[in-house]
Amino acid sequence: MKSKSNVTIKDVAKRAGVATSTVSRVINNKSLISEETKEKIIEAMRELNYFPNSLARNFANGNACAIGLVIDANDNNTFSNVFFNKSVFGIETVAQNNGYNILITNGGEEKNGVTSVEKLILERKIDGLILPSVMAKKKLIKKLFELDFPFVILGEPENFKLESSWVDINNTQGGELAVNHLIQKGYKRIAFFSGNPKAIFSQNRLKGYRQALASAGLSVDEKYIVYCEETPAAGYNLLKEIFKMPQPPDAVICSDNIMAFGVLRAAGEMGLLVPKELGVLSFDNYPIAEYTNPPLTVVDVDTYSLGEQAASILIKKIGHEKEVNQQTLISTSIIARESTNLKGE
Amino acid sequence: MKSKSNVTIKDVAKRAGVATSTVSRVINNKSLISEETKEKIIEAMRELNYFPNSLARNFANGNACAIGLVIDANDNNTFSNVFFNKSVFGIETVAQNNGYNILITNGGEEKNGVTSVEKLILERKIDGLILPSVMAKKKLIKKLFELDFPFVILGEPENFKLESSWVDINNTQGGELAVNHLIQKGYKRIAFFSGNPKAIFSQNRLKGYRQALASAGLSVDEKYIVYCEETPAAGYNLLKEIFKMPQPPDAVICSDNIMAFGVLRAAGEMGLLVPKELGVLSFDNYPIAEYTNPPLTVVDVDTYSLGEQAASILIKKIGHEKEVNQQTLISTSIIARESTNLKGE
DNA sequence: CGCTTTTATGCAACCGTTTGCATAATTTAA
DNA sequence: TTAAATTATGCAAACGGTTGCATAAAAGCG
């Protein structure tokens, strides 16, 4: 059909006066080939401008050289999600370096009882799967085990936590880091404006928050822990609300930059000086974080590494029949900016 | 090698008591098959839980069912770039619906005189290419023509503008829209804070700006047109600078949200009321735009559609031997917010 | 120096589909 | 009623690699 009359391995073999198997062995540098024939073959390949047809190779080898990446069908902001994007970049880089392509798929839809992910696997389009924890439903994971199909979860999953491989940001450590930074700067009454309490990352951050306060010998005031949406409006309202308390906090940890944005605005309106009278710290380092007024101290999460790790674990799994499961946590770090600089150092 | 002992077309044929060719014809619903055998075959496929092996299909058909997407090797922010991401989402969606995968590749590196893009093509890993205009260098495009390989450029290119297919945001119309909106709101002296003057999109926006002013019978004050980096600092400095003029502008169009951010901060410090004393409008609608103080009026560019268009043009090209080249412009629209609401309507 | 071991290469089957051509079965035309 | 046209299906050769097995040549050994 689509011919373009291309050079094949046979042409190379003929030209070099050897069998196709020998050429194949040179391409894959397998077994022992004498230096002499090797050079002859490489020369022939160059002369004919030969490139191995990857379709034929994949077919013969029975692997697609592709890894599937499930995206959240319900979140049509997935692609404007910085968290997601940077990890995709990490995945992409590692995959590329190992000769794998990325195949993005919508996790949701089901057709005649077969999900699109399942179809991808059964049609042999992918050799492994990376999926965000929100997509790691029991049913799908069971299916993957059944098919003995290699996969890695992005973010700590709710189910099969021990039986499967996953990579996550060390949110507990991040929560500790946030509190320790604020304490070290001189803040004493630290509130926590959390996102969705059902999300595991929220729970872990809170865990770190509690641990760090305990280690510092400070008590946890449950009224200082509040859950809300990750919007500026929520941050704005929450700050105004919490300052009605007889003893309001002197610092706030926000689970999101956008929320912190609202907190800063509210502080401005209330005439509260940041960082003198209120420290503000947020998880994640969005591009806007350095441009807020004052610039925002953040817990930086390295989602690029997250992606890198996920991909390299997956590729290892694809290679070896049985691999021990692996759970990896990526450490966070503080980027200190003006919003928590209590002593004006 | 990697067996997993899967059901093949032969098993289905045997089960249904027909030849493999007949099964194949049912899979591809080609030529005429009697309803009777068709049903028999479909039944057999269901019973055996058969899924066609896409590796074998791709090999037999000689197409990879994949489209390459070149990313800018020099821009390691590519993946945090909202513009880019939304268009990728659009490309992805269309590709998926047409049975194509996306294969992302780094445009830059060259090895033994062969770029990675070229390698992808020669190894038959992709059937078509989408590349951003910054990556559409003369050398590469010539190569693509030589190989008669289908491609679409994302953004108006500098070279081969007429010979190749491309899709872009209608930046000229966007520039007009911005000016018209401001005029309609009652602003009279409109400045333009542009990005890189060498970028074609900047030139087009400026063209629209001039055209709209001319249509409205307003003269263009060249001192109102300034180029700078797309950072808050640049916007901040530029506004302070321009207000040293004897007759400063009463509105500013920024080529980027981040720049507008700096302009708003400078206005705040200078005691300039937005929108009463200064209208501020920006290209692009970042998530922060609705959370600035006051919320920012923007020219919204639909990069999702941009991606969709690019992908569907490419897929058409892949299908038909020769297709007339196509240049498509995606219209922009105004999202009016408080920052240009001069009359407090 | 003959025999075993090692090294280098060729032969041919195989991977699972697709498809041109041949043929059998059925319908149409005259 | 028979030849021609149409419809439905099968046969087998591709597609371009990879790889187990066989074998020839070279090296090592006693």
Side-chain angles (χ1 to χ4, degrees):
Chain A
M1 161 141 285
K2 193 175 283 181
S3 62
K4 291 200 188 170
S5 78
N6 252 64
V7 183
T8 75
I9 201 171
K10 282 178 198 166
D11 303 313
V12 176
K14 198 174 289 174
R15 177 90 169 207
V18 297
T20 59
S21 45
T22 310
V23 179
S24 171
R25 286 188 261 259
V26 169
I27 294 171
N28 301 285
N29 50 3
K30 265 190 184 165
S31 86
L32 306 178
I33 306 285
S34 72
E35 266 313 308
E36 199 190 339
T37 31
K38 196 172 196 169
E39 271 173 25
K40 227 169 32 183
I41 289 170
I42 290 176
E43 177 62 13
M45 297 201 298
R46 195 171 293 133
E47 284 173 357
L48 297 172
N49 195 32
Y50 168 75
F51 284 83
N53 180 327
S54 65
L55 299 173
R57 299 185 74 189
N58 292 347
F59 172 50
N61 290 322
N63 53 38
C65 290
I67 73 188
L69 177 58
V70 180
I71 63 171
D72 185 353
N74 300 317
D75 178 7
N76 51 17
N77 272 326
T78 304
F79 274 83
S80 8
N81 179 332
V82 179
F83 178 90
F84 178 77
N85 286 319
K86 281 183 73 179
S87 57
V88 172
F89 197 14
I91 292 170
E92 172 56 35
T93 305
V94 172
Q96 197 94 96
N97 291 342
N98 288 276
Y100 283 86
N101 304 327
I102 299 291
L103 214 149
I104 291 166
T105 180
N106 200 311
E109 61 205 58
E110 187 163 329
K111 219 173 145 184
N112 328 335
V114 182
T115 60
S116 51
V117 173
E118 225 177 312
K119 198 156 164 260
L120 239 40
I121 296 173
L122 293 170
E123 287 178 346
R124 296 244 185 298
K125 291 207 169 189
I126 54 175
D127 305 314
L129 195 66
I130 294 180
L131 68 172
S133 55
V134 285
M135 295 276 95
K137 307 286 185 205
K138 263 189 188 164
K139 204 174 149 193
L140 175 57
I141 302 298
K142 271 188 186 159
K143 200 84 194 177
L144 294 174
F145 280 134
E146 212 172 277
L147 293 168
D148 195 24
F149 194 79
F151 67 96
V152 172
I153 301 172
L154 223 48
E156 184 179 328
E158 282 194 64
N159 309 306
F160 303 105
K161 202 175 284 193
L162 298 169
E163 297 92 328
S164 52
S165 291
W166 49 268
V167 185
D168 200 1
I169 296 297
N170 194 338
N171 283 299
T172 310
Q173 177 254 0
E176 288 179 336
L177 220 50
V179 169
N180 290 340
H181 171 84
L182 289 170
I183 289 174
Q184 186 228 313
K185 285 294 177 182
Y187 296 99
K188 297 242 157 56
R189 299 186 310 280
I190 303 168
F192 193 99
F193 289 5
S194 170
N196 180 4
K198 287 194 180 154
I200 292 186
F201 74 88
S202 296
Q203 294 168 12
N204 285 339
R205 287 173 181 181
L206 198 54
K207 188 161 90 187
Y209 165 84
R210 290 180 189 277
Q211 281 174 6
L213 285 178
S215 304
L218 296 175
S219 67
V220 176
D221 183 341
E222 293 298 330
K223 292 210 190 73
Y224 279 2
I225 300 172
V226 208
Y227 300 96
C228 69
E229 283 189 322
E230 295 185 336
T231 62
Y236 179 94
N237 294 329
L238 228 47
L239 191 77
K240 293 214 161 172
E241 199 58 41
I242 211 164
F243 266 79
K244 289 181 185 157
M245 285 174 64
Q247 189 171 41
D250 63 359
V252 174
I253 300 172
C254 297
S255 77
D256 190 275
N257 281 207
I258 297 286
M259 199 197 276
F261 208 75
V263 167
L264 288 176
R265 172 137 16 128
E269 282 185 17
M270 293 157 70
L272 265 174
L273 293 177
V274 177
K276 286 274 174 230
E277 297 166 300
L278 181 74
V280 180
L281 182 154
S282 169
F283 279 84
D284 296 344
N285 184 32
Y286 290 1
I288 50 158
E290 47 180 322
Y291 301 138
T292 53
N293 188 13
L296 195 60
T297 295
V298 296
V299 174
D300 191 27
V301 299
D302 187 356
T303 50
Y304 179 85
S305 291
L306 188 76
E308 278 187 325
Q309 286 293 324
S312 51
I313 292 173
L314 181 63
I315 288 170
K316 259 184 234 146
K317 285 193 135 192
I318 293 172
H320 316 300
E321 283 305 291
K322 274 286 171 209
E323 180 87 5
V324 177
N325 284 310
Q326 211 171 322
Q327 282 94 40
T328 305
L329 290 175
I330 311 283
S331 289
T332 65
S333 58
I334 289 281
I335 299 180
R337 298 205 181 93
E338 198 53 30
S339 71
T340 56
N341 187 9
L342 178 58
K343 296 166 190 160
E345 290 156 342
Chain B
M1 159 142 287
K2 194 175 283 183
S3 60
K4 292 199 187 170
S5 79
N6 251 64
V7 183
T8 75
I9 201 170
K10 283 179 198 166
D11 303 314
V12 176
K14 197 174 289 173
R15 176 91 168 206
V18 297
T20 61
S21 45
T22 310
V23 179
S24 171
R25 285 188 263 258
V26 169
I27 294 172
N28 301 285
N29 51 1
K30 265 189 184 166
S31 86
L32 305 177
I33 305 285
S34 71
E35 267 312 309
E36 200 191 335
T37 31
K38 196 172 197 169
E39 272 173 24
K40 224 167 38 183
I41 290 170
I42 290 176
E43 177 61 14
M45 298 201 297
R46 196 171 293 133
E47 284 172 358
L48 297 172
N49 194 32
Y50 168 74
F51 284 84
N53 181 325
S54 66
L55 299 173
R57 299 186 75 187
N58 292 347
F59 171 50
N61 289 323
N63 54 38
C65 289
I67 72 187
L69 177 58
V70 181
I71 64 171
D72 185 352
N74 300 318
D75 177 7
N76 51 18
N77 273 324
T78 304
F79 275 83
S80 10
N81 180 332
V82 181
F83 177 89
F84 178 78
N85 284 320
K86 281 184 70 179
S87 58
V88 171
F89 198 15
I91 292 171
E92 173 56 36
T93 304
V94 171
Q96 198 95 95
N97 290 342
N98 289 274
Y100 283 86
N101 305 326
I102 300 290
L103 214 150
I104 292 167
T105 180
N106 200 311
E109 59 205 57
E110 187 163 331
K111 218 173 146 182
N112 327 336
V114 182
T115 60
S116 51
V117 173
E118 225 177 311
K119 199 158 162 260
L120 240 38
I121 296 173
L122 293 169
E123 287 179 345
R124 296 246 185 298
K125 290 208 172 190
I126 54 175
D127 305 314
L129 195 66
I130 294 180
L131 67 173
S133 54
V134 284
M135 294 278 96
K137 307 285 185 207
K138 262 188 189 165
K139 203 173 149 193
L140 175 56
I141 303 296
K142 271 187 186 158
K143 198 86 193 176
L144 293 173
F145 281 134
E146 212 172 277
L147 293 167
D148 195 22
F149 194 78
F151 68 96
V152 172
I153 301 171
L154 224 46
E156 184 178 328
E158 281 194 64
N159 309 306
F160 303 104
K161 202 175 287 194
L162 298 170
E163 297 93 326
S164 52
S165 291
W166 48 269
V167 185
D168 200 0
I169 297 296
N170 194 338
N171 283 299
T172 310
Q173 177 254 359
E176 288 179 335
L177 220 49
V179 169
N180 290 340
H181 171 83
L182 290 170
I183 290 174
Q184 186 229 314
K185 286 293 177 183
Y187 296 99
K188 297 245 156 52
R189 300 184 312 279
I190 302 169
F192 192 101
F193 289 5
S194 169
N196 180 3
K198 286 193 181 155
I200 292 186
F201 75 88
S202 296
Q203 294 167 12
N204 285 339
R205 288 172 180 181
L206 197 54
K207 189 162 88 186
Y209 165 85
R210 290 179 191 276
Q211 282 175 5
L213 285 178
S215 303
L218 296 174
S219 66
V220 176
D221 183 343
E222 293 298 331
K223 292 208 190 77
Y224 280 2
I225 300 173
V226 209
Y227 301 96
C228 70
E229 282 187 324
E230 296 185 335
T231 62
Y236 179 94
N237 294 330
L238 228 47
L239 191 78
K240 294 213 161 172
E241 199 58 40
I242 210 165
F243 266 80
K244 290 180 185 158
M245 286 176 63
Q247 190 171 43
D250 62 0
V252 175
I253 299 172
C254 297
S255 77
D256 190 275
N257 282 206
I258 297 287
M259 197 196 278
F261 208 73
V263 167
L264 288 176
R265 172 136 16 128
E269 283 185 17
M270 293 159 68
L272 264 175
L273 293 177
V274 177
K276 286 275 174 230
E277 296 166 301
L278 181 74
V280 180
L281 182 154
S282 169
F283 278 86
D284 296 345
N285 183 33
Y286 289 3
I288 49 158
E290 47 181 321
Y291 302 136
T292 54
N293 188 12
L296 197 59
T297 295
V298 297
V299 174
D300 190 27
V301 301
D302 188 356
T303 51
Y304 179 84
S305 291
L306 188 77
E308 278 188 323
Q309 286 293 322
S312 52
I313 291 173
L314 181 62
I315 289 171
K316 259 184 233 145
K317 284 192 137 192
I318 293 172
H320 315 300
E321 283 305 292
K322 274 285 171 207
E323 180 87 5
V324 177
N325 285 310
Q326 212 171 322
Q327 283 93 39
T328 306
L329 291 175
I330 311 284
S331 290
T332 65
S333 59
I334 290 280
I335 299 179
R337 299 203 182 93
E338 199 52 30
S339 72
T340 56
N341 187 9
L342 179 57
K343 295 165 191 161
E345 290 156 342

